[in-house]
Amino acid sequence: MKLLSSRARGMGVLLLSLGAFGLSTPAAMSADGTFVVKPVVEKRVKELPVEPLYWRLENFPTLSEAEGAATPTSLAAEVAGKVWLFTLGPKGGSTAGGTKIAEIGPLPPLEASEYLLRVNRAGGAPGVKTPIHTHPGPEAFYVLAGRLGQRTPHGVAYAEAGTTMVGHAADTPMEVFSAGTTDLDELAIFVVDAGRPFSSPASFD
């Protein structure tokens, strides 16, 4: 597992891909009001659990406890003043020692020779948005504060603070934006094809 916030190599790869279509780091937000994307943690795996898959979000007292409870398809990290365990698996699971916060799914199916599991923290001031883009796998969201909006060819969906949203299948064009009257702060959770670029520019036809 890589804690991206403390590893320059992993950070550099992600920032190059984000920079290709205008996403920025927190340091730039106060200057230009752009949508902020901050990488948190990631890992690569060869196999996924049996579908249908859900992301399970749990809080733990300490990071060491979360890491000790992790499965091969779990990510442990400290985010927003809490310790989180993000586990990809079947619906209705639980982890000893953890407090379940949310379960997001079912996720659209995905097949690849290797998978990238990743958590980003993202958001910004009311009205800021990402460029239109795609990912090679489904994205899921948990809103920490504010109101999340996502525009795709399927329409526009919203999620309030304390709620979740499951995204669409791989390669679906999307625009994510801060839709409320206060700053958006959200966790974006991914399982994508590790052999493809994490993000690609797109358009709505």
Side-chain angles (χ1 to χ4, degrees):
M1 186 185 304
K2 299 177 182 178
L3 292 175
L4 292 184
S5 59
S6 62
R7 282 167 169 76
R9 180 172 176 272
M11 176 77 83
V13 171
L14 179 61
L15 293 183
L16 284 174
S17 66
L18 295 180
F21 45 99
L23 303 185
S24 64
T25 62
M29 184 178 174
S30 60
D32 57 15
T34 55
F35 194 96
V36 172
V37 177
K38 183 178 181 180
V40 175
V41 62
E42 72 171 24
K43 72 190 300 185
R44 290 173 179 249
V45 297
K46 290 291 188 181
E47 296 182 355
L48 299 180
V50 176
E51 296 174 343
L53 292 174
Y54 290 73
W55 279 111
R56 185 171 72 251
L57 280 58
E58 296 164 301
N59 288 151
F60 277 77
T62 67
L63 184 58
S64 61
E65 289 178 81
E67 291 173 338
T71 74
T73 54
S74 293
L75 298 166
E78 293 186 61
V79 186
K82 297 181 179 180
V83 174
W84 299 79
L85 186 66
F86 307 87
T87 300
L88 186 64
K91 184 179 182 180
S94 63
T95 308
T99 300
K100 186 182 288 189
I101 303 302
E103 195 169 54
I104 314 172
L107 303 179
L110 179 68
E111 292 188 10
S113 58
E114 186 177 35
Y115 302 91
L116 177 70
L117 312 182
R118 173 178 284 169
V119 177
N120 289 344
R121 186 177 182 183
V128 299
K129 59 186 179 181
T130 68
I132 303 169
H133 63 285
T134 63
H135 297 291
E139 182 175 4
F141 304 91
Y142 179 75
V143 183
L144 296 167
R147 189 180 193 221
L148 168 72
Q150 184 191 47
R151 180 176 289 106
T152 73
H154 304 283
V156 181
Y158 299 94
E160 309 292 337
T163 68
T164 67
M165 180 190 297
V166 61
H168 299 278
D171 303 312
T172 300
M174 72 179 74
E175 179 184 71
V176 180
F177 57 98
S178 178
T181 58
T182 59
D183 288 3
L184 171 67
D185 188 3
E186 51 102 347
L187 300 174
I189 311 155
F190 301 87
V191 52
V192 300
D193 185 339
R196 297 177 56 193
F198 177 73
S199 299
S200 299
S203 62
F204 295 134
D205 294 329

